[in-house]
Amino acid sequence: MTIYSTSNLEQPDSEIQSVAIVGAGSIGIAWCIVFASAGVDVRIFELDETRRESALAAAESLLHEMHGAGLLSEPVDDILVRMSVWETLAEVVSGVGYVQECVVENIDVKRELFHQLDQLTPKEVVLASSTSAIPSSKFAGELEGRDRCLVVHPANPPYFLRVAEIVPAEFTSSATVAATAAILRRVRISPVLLNTEIEGFAFNRLQGALLREAYCLVRDGVISAVDLDTLVREGLGRRWSVVGPFATSELNTRGGLRQHSEVLGAVYARFGLERGLENPWTPATINTVANAIEQDLPFGNWEENVRERDHAMIKVASLLKGFENPLVRGES
Ligand SMILES: NC(=O)c1ccc[n+]([C@@H]2O[C@H](COP(=O)([O-])OP(=O)(O)OC[C@H]3O[C@@H](n4cnc5c(N)ncnc54)[C@H](O)[C@@H]3O)[C@@H](O)[C@H]2O)c1
């Protein structure tokens, strides 16, 4: 199988000036903020009347908080004027170049909505779903305009976690993928491209792997649920804000990821086998990962990359100094 990576994507500038957001729940409002605060006009449609009427107020409240934290480059009112709420689906998609569907996680609702969107929009308009787990072939495969359909799965909330998975189906055109990556880059969301459709995509598969082990550890009385959350929040989570798990393996061991898997691969494999999982620590996979990570790390040698990692972690620690997490007992 050919392995693509987001860095292989063509990088045209996006010419899309306006987008439609369909569904103004948590994710829909968050996408509105991402697009509008990056200068893109946002048209909003929501079925529920109460939510429709409160959509702009919900966005405004978050924008004020972001402004107060110095995260916006212009006044809140200048961003809000780019958002408008419309009464019908036909009106909301009129003239837009991109639609981000954000309705409930229900395959039948998405299938019906994509059918309507396919009929209401010209064939060059990208139709993207925010779905957390459902591949677009399950709800857009029958459409005449299926080549412009795909999944753009955000991390929640996307105005804070600035990455999204682009998941094309087999029928999605490469032009659609390129246009999607371009608009995401323009609104400061890092696009990550998946090579193949898989239920749950990569983000939730990773989250699922961690949750599976976490449930096992709590079930077996190894650790309390609260301590487990502390371990991830203060430990793994903080580290992963600077380096991903593969770069962690590369930089935590002298000799890099190849040496790390030499020393610890069998141990990690046993963890999985104990849970009835297959062993992915094969020489071929380790080699693929090591080659990619070695090429991707930016500095001249291992020592320098480690030094820069430490520098970045100290910087993050200094940014977090004085931050009192309101969700942690004893800190507020
Ligand atoms: N919440 C998360 O953490 C998260 C993260 C990533 C992706 N997602 C995905 O994003 C999508 C939206 O999730 P959410 O958490 O915002 O849900 P939500 O329940 O907060 O919002 C969904 C909104 O869609 C509206 N809606 C339903 N059918 C509609 C239709 N036909 N037309 C217009 N509006 C309609 C509902 O009234 C509701 O306001 C889901 O597919 C979800 O899986 C959620």
Side-chain angles (χ1 to χ4, degrees):
M1 186 175 68
T2 315
I3 298 295
Y4 299 101
S5 114
T6 314
S7 54
N8 301 137
L9 281 173
E10 285 176 54
Q11 303 210 0
D13 284 342
S14 176
E15 288 169 5
I16 294 169
Q17 301 301 330
S18 66
V19 302
I21 301 293
V22 181
S26 341
I27 290 295
I29 296 292
W31 273 123
C32 290
I33 288 171
V34 167
F35 284 110
S37 62
V40 177
D41 285 332
V42 179
R43 300 166 74 91
I44 305 161
F45 175 67
E46 162 61 54
L47 221 45
D48 180 272
E49 199 181 331
T50 314
R51 285 221 174 145
R52 189 164 60 238
E53 284 170 1
S54 62
L56 293 182
E60 182 176 6
S61 156
L62 284 163
L63 282 168
H64 276 298
E65 208 159 323
M66 290 171 75
H67 192 264
L71 291 174
L72 301 177
S73 55
E74 51 188 346
V76 169
D77 285 349
D78 292 5
I79 296 170
L80 274 177
V81 292
R82 296 194 195 104
M83 297 184 192
S84 55
V85 180
W86 298 81
E87 292 283 320
T88 66
L89 194 60
E91 285 172 304
V92 86
V93 296
S94 171
V96 303
Y98 178 95
V99 178
Q100 184 75 40
E101 169 272 305
C102 308
V103 305
V104 283
E105 187 78 346
N106 176 306
I107 193 164
D108 296 326
V109 175
K110 292 197 193 282
R111 187 177 292 120
E112 172 55 26
L113 180 58
F114 268 73
H115 176 66
Q116 292 178 44
L117 291 170
D118 192 35
Q119 293 189 325
L120 288 169
T121 53
K123 59 179 176 21
E124 64 278 8
V125 174
V126 173
L127 304 180
S129 172
S130 299
T131 172
S132 299
I134 316 169
S136 58
S137 55
K138 302 258 187 222
F139 54 82
E142 305 296 313
L143 302 178
E144 203 185 319
R146 60 187 188 164
D147 61 301
R148 37 58 176 269
C149 297
L150 78 177
V151 167
V152 174
H153 174 237
N156 185 23
Y159 51 79
F160 174 54
L161 303 176
R162 301 203 75 104
V163 66
E165 294 175 280
I166 299 180
V167 193
E170 270 187 9
F171 49 70
T172 309
S173 70
S174 52
T176 300
V177 173
T180 303
I183 180 82
L184 290 177
R185 283 199 187 93
R186 178 167 161 208
V187 300
R188 293 195 301 110
I189 296 287
S190 301
V192 169
L193 176 64
L194 267 58
N195 290 294
T196 180
E197 287 193 307
I198 180 172
E199 187 185 15
F201 319 127
F203 189 97
N204 280 328
R205 289 261 167 168
L206 290 168
Q207 188 155 250
L210 187 72
L211 274 174
R212 190 184 306 113
E213 184 61 28
Y215 274 112
C216 288
L217 292 171
V218 172
R219 177 199 62 196
D220 297 345
V222 175
I223 188 170
S224 76
V226 171
D227 278 354
L228 189 130
D229 261 9
T230 302
L231 209 53
V232 176
R233 190 185 62 242
E234 304 299 329
L236 291 168
R238 192 170 286 203
R239 177 154 76 193
W240 285 341
S241 70
V242 174
V243 276
F246 287 139
T248 297
S249 300
E250 172 69 19
L251 300 178
N252 269 8
T253 313
R254 202 167 291 278
L257 191 149
R258 294 172 200 277
Q259 180 63 15
H260 178 264
S261 56
E262 189 83 12
V263 177
L264 286 171
V267 180
Y268 278 99
R270 272 206 303 282
F271 299 163
L273 294 171
E274 211 179 278
R275 304 292 187 211
L277 301 169
E278 60 174 322
N279 173 21
W281 298 75
T282 60
T285 306
I286 291 164
N287 195 40
T288 301
V289 172
N291 284 341
I293 296 300
E294 286 159 6
Q295 277 179 31
D296 190 57
L297 283 167
F299 301 100
N301 54 47
W302 185 85
E303 282 79 9
E304 202 176 352
N305 282 312
V306 169
R307 208 163 38 245
E308 291 301 329
R309 178 205 59 187
D310 293 346
H311 176 69
M313 284 184 169
I314 288 166
K315 175 89 184 168
V316 169
S318 96
L319 292 171
L320 285 171
K321 192 173 165 212
F323 166 65
E324 288 180 4
N325 186 336
L327 297 177
V328 177
R329 283 176 194 276
E331 282 203 15
S332 57

